[in-house]
């Protein structure tokens, strides 16, 4: 593992609900110094309960001494008081100024000089020219300009800047690699991983089911994650109606209309659960669903939940997401709504210990520990090759 370096991270929040970035970089924390900036986003403000709760959390952090600069687990965290409506020129100027000043101050307090800038957000382009760093790493998790409620033209412009300036660019799926790569600026595939031991231990140890799951009759068909616009709620409704003797268990907050689904007697909305509690739910379900709509956004996605389901030994039923073709012999694919529903029944009927063990083995091979080792190898190779120069334009083609 890479060690003795300083990292400036601009991405999803640290210590709230583990993101891809936190899972990956947590493995590097014990050997390196981290300043984590958690107020980065490119979406327009929304007026719903989910967004208001997140906004209130930000207000609480801003009100904390020094903008929540203490952090946990050896990570210093900073939440700059940025404003929404980001493409408006005065707002962009304010956000850039307050963020750069805050980062610079905290780098000085932490004795961080020319860190490795690691970001999963194209909005990092707004501040990276004003902060001296030795290496710029851009990790693309989604086709951002297609995300719901994002400022599309603004995101496209920022990402073009990131692709031009980054020394190393990673992406979570093969379609993203192909979409974002261009001559002289290749993109490296660094897929999602899984906290394998976390999700497998309750299965191995026979941990009892959570109280709120024990009274839900089996077989239990699970969807875990944000019920967002890219989730096909109509498909979930079809599954619930096709298997009235089974239970459809939904874990996670809702950001889309689920009222019709709530009316189904065999559907159970458990709401959001703490990350530490999720494995016990998976251990006592019988199948895991990835019912994503097939559109421009999901064409490029690599769902984090796939390997988490597999680590628990669950059969996985998914719509035909291109990146998941690599797991074609383990995942039950539904290319039409009717086929998806049929595949749920097939997955429930096929009790195959051998297939279950293969799912577990595949998850173990794709752990976050392994992903962190892969990332470390690329970073060390870049540093040793002399790519690490303050504000250097990308030479990642030499990797």
């Amino acid at each position: 593992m890479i060690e003795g370096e300083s990292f400036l991270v601009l991405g999803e929040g640290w210590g709230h609900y583990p993101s891809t970035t936190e899972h990956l970089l947590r493995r590097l924390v014990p050997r390196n110094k981290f300043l984590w900036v958690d107020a980065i986003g490119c979406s327009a403000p929304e007026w719903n309960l989910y967004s208001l709760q997140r906004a209130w959390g930000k207000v609480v952090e801003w009100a904390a001494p020094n903008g929540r600069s203490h952090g946990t687990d050896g990570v210093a965290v900073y939440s700059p008081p940025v404003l929404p409506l980001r493409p408006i020129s005065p707002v962009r100027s304010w956000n850039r100024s307050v963020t750069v000043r805050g980062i610079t101050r905290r780098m000085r307090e932490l004795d961080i000089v020319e860190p490795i800038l690691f970001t999963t957000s194209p909005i990092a382009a707004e501040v990276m020219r004003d902060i001296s760093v030795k290496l710029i790493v851009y990790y693309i998790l989604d086709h951002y300009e297609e995300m719901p409620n994002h400022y599309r033209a603004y995101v496209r412009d920022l990402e073009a800047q990131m692709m031009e300036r980054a020394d190393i660019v990673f992406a979570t799926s093969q379609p993203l690699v192909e979409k974002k790569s261009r001559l002289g600026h290749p993109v490296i595939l660094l897929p999602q991983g899984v906290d394998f031991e976390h999700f497998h231990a309750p299965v191995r140890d026979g941990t009892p089911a959570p109280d709120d799951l024990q009274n839900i009759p089996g077989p239990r068909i699970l969807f875990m994650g944000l019920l967002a616009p890219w989730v096909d709620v109509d498909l979930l409704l079809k599954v619930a109606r096709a298997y009235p003797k089974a239970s459809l268990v939904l874990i996670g907050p809702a950001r889309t209309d689920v009222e019709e689904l709530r009316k189904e007697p065999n559907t159970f909305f458990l709401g959001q659960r703490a990350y530490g509690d999720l494995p016990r739910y998976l251990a006592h379900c019988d199948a895991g669903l990835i019912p994503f709509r097939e559109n421009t956004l999901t064409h490029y996605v690599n769902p984090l939940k796939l390997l988490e389901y597999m680590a628990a030994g669950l059969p996985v039923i998914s719509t035909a997401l291109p990146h998941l073709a690599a797991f074609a012999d383990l995942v039950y694919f539904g290319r039409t709504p009717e086929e998806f529903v049929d595949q749920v029944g097939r997955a429930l009927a096929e009790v195959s210990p051998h297939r279950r063990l293969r799912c577990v083995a595949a998850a173990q091979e794709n752990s976050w520990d392994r992903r962190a080792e892969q990332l470390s190898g690329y970073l060390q190779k870049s540093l040793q090759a002399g790519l690490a120069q303050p504000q250097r334009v990308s030479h990642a083609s030499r990797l």
Side-chain angles (χ1 to χ4, degrees):
M1 289 286 189
I2 192 170
E3 60 182 48
E5 295 290 342
S6 295
F7 285 81
L8 171 63
V9 183
L10 289 83
E12 312 97 314
W14 171 273
H16 296 294
Y17 195 91
S19 64
T20 293
T21 320
E22 182 173 336
H23 279 303
L24 179 64
L25 296 184
R26 182 177 285 277
R27 274 73 184 168
L28 307 186
V29 168
R31 300 177 178 86
N32 301 278
K33 187 181 295 186
F34 275 81
L35 172 59
W36 198 287
V37 182
D38 68 359
I40 305 300
C42 299
S43 60
E46 296 180 85
W47 304 108
N48 54 46
L49 180 60
Y50 176 81
S51 297
L52 291 173
Q53 288 173 336
R54 293 188 66 186
W56 176 249
K58 290 295 181 186
V59 171
V60 171
E61 290 173 0
W62 296 340
N66 295 322
R68 190 188 168 216
S69 61
H70 53 284
T72 58
D73 303 319
V75 175
V77 181
Y78 171 53
S79 295
V82 294
L83 301 173
L85 305 174
R86 288 174 174 81
I88 299 175
S89 182
V91 173
R92 291 182 70 173
S93 296
W94 163 266
N95 288 344
R96 185 183 303 112
S97 176
V98 72
T99 301
V100 169
R101 287 202 311 270
I103 290 173
T104 302
R105 174 184 170 187
R106 282 150 185 81
M107 284 176 55
R108 187 167 57 248
E109 293 170 350
L110 296 166
D111 194 25
I112 291 177
V113 179
E114 292 183 356
I116 296 170
L117 172 62
F118 188 103
T119 182
T120 56
S121 174
I123 208 170
E126 294 277 36
V127 301
M128 67 182 179
R129 294 179 184 275
D130 299 314
I131 299 171
S132 182
V133 299
K134 70 162 103 175
L135 198 70
I136 298 175
V137 182
Y138 182 36
Y139 190 18
I140 307 173
L141 308 182
D142 288 293
H143 190 24
Y144 298 122
E145 66 185 73
E146 295 294 332
M147 293 289 288
N149 212 41
H150 272 48
Y151 297 111
R152 182 170 298 186
Y154 177 54
V155 171
R156 191 181 301 121
D157 176 63
L158 292 176
E159 184 157 83
Q161 296 179 50
M162 287 303 309
M163 296 298 295
E164 180 64 29
R165 302 257 317 152
D167 295 294
I168 313 176
V169 181
F170 297 104
T172 54
S173 75
Q174 186 59 38
L176 271 177
V177 168
E178 295 167 3
K179 173 72 173 178
K180 304 299 181 179
S181 290
R182 55 192 175 89
L183 186 63
H185 292 76
V187 176
I188 301 165
L189 179 63
L190 189 67
Q192 299 281 14
V194 63
D195 191 346
F196 176 78
E197 183 63 22
H198 181 66
F199 282 95
H200 184 65
V203 178
R204 183 193 61 222
D205 300 339
T207 305
D211 292 342
D212 58 352
L213 195 63
Q214 290 180 5
N215 294 326
I216 297 176
R220 303 180 184 113
I221 306 167
L222 173 69
F223 172 78
M224 175 182 71
L226 180 65
L227 283 160
W230 54 82
V231 174
D232 192 338
V233 175
D234 290 337
L235 191 52
L236 289 173
L237 190 61
K238 286 181 171 65
V239 170
R241 290 173 176 171
Y243 302 99
K245 294 184 179 180
S247 298
L248 180 61
V249 178
L250 304 165
I251 297 177
R255 285 182 59 194
T256 192
D257 185 4
V258 293
E259 291 312 307
E260 285 300 310
L261 191 56
R262 289 186 185 276
K263 296 175 183 177
E264 296 302 310
N266 63 333
T267 300
F268 299 85
F269 284 81
L270 301 188
Q272 188 162 345
R273 291 293 181 266
Y275 177 74
D277 296 332
L278 290 178
R280 292 176 60 205
Y281 288 91
L282 272 66
H284 293 277
C285 287
D286 299 282
L289 302 183
I290 306 179
F292 285 9
R293 299 181 186 278
E294 295 183 53
N295 55 32
T296 306
L297 173 63
T298 60
H299 178 83
Y300 299 98
V301 76
N302 178 4
L304 184 58
K305 60 178 64 59
L306 169 70
L307 292 171
E308 294 172 346
Y309 287 156
M310 292 172 66
L314 289 181
V316 181
I317 305 95
S318 176
T319 48
L321 305 177
H323 182 77
L324 301 195
F327 298 92
D329 58 336
L330 297 176
V331 175
Y332 296 87
F333 286 106
R335 291 166 178 79
T336 65
E338 295 74 21
E339 186 179 5
F340 186 95
V341 171
D342 289 344
Q343 291 285 53
V344 172
R346 182 184 166 198
L348 292 175
E350 281 190 11
V351 181
S352 172
H354 177 66
R355 187 183 185 116
R356 185 185 184 98
L357 289 173
R358 288 171 60 219
C359 285
V360 171
Q364 190 170 20
E365 291 172 3
N366 288 277
S367 69
W368 282 121
D369 290 337
R370 182 174 178 182
R371 293 287 179 265
E373 290 171 358
Q374 292 170 329
L375 171 65
S376 291
Y378 282 114
L379 295 180
Q380 290 170 324
K381 189 173 182 179
S382 298
L383 295 170
Q384 292 166 4
L387 298 185
Q389 298 294 331
Q391 301 295 328
R392 184 82 170 266
V393 176
S394 174
H395 297 289
S397 59
R398 288 163 52 185
L399 284 177

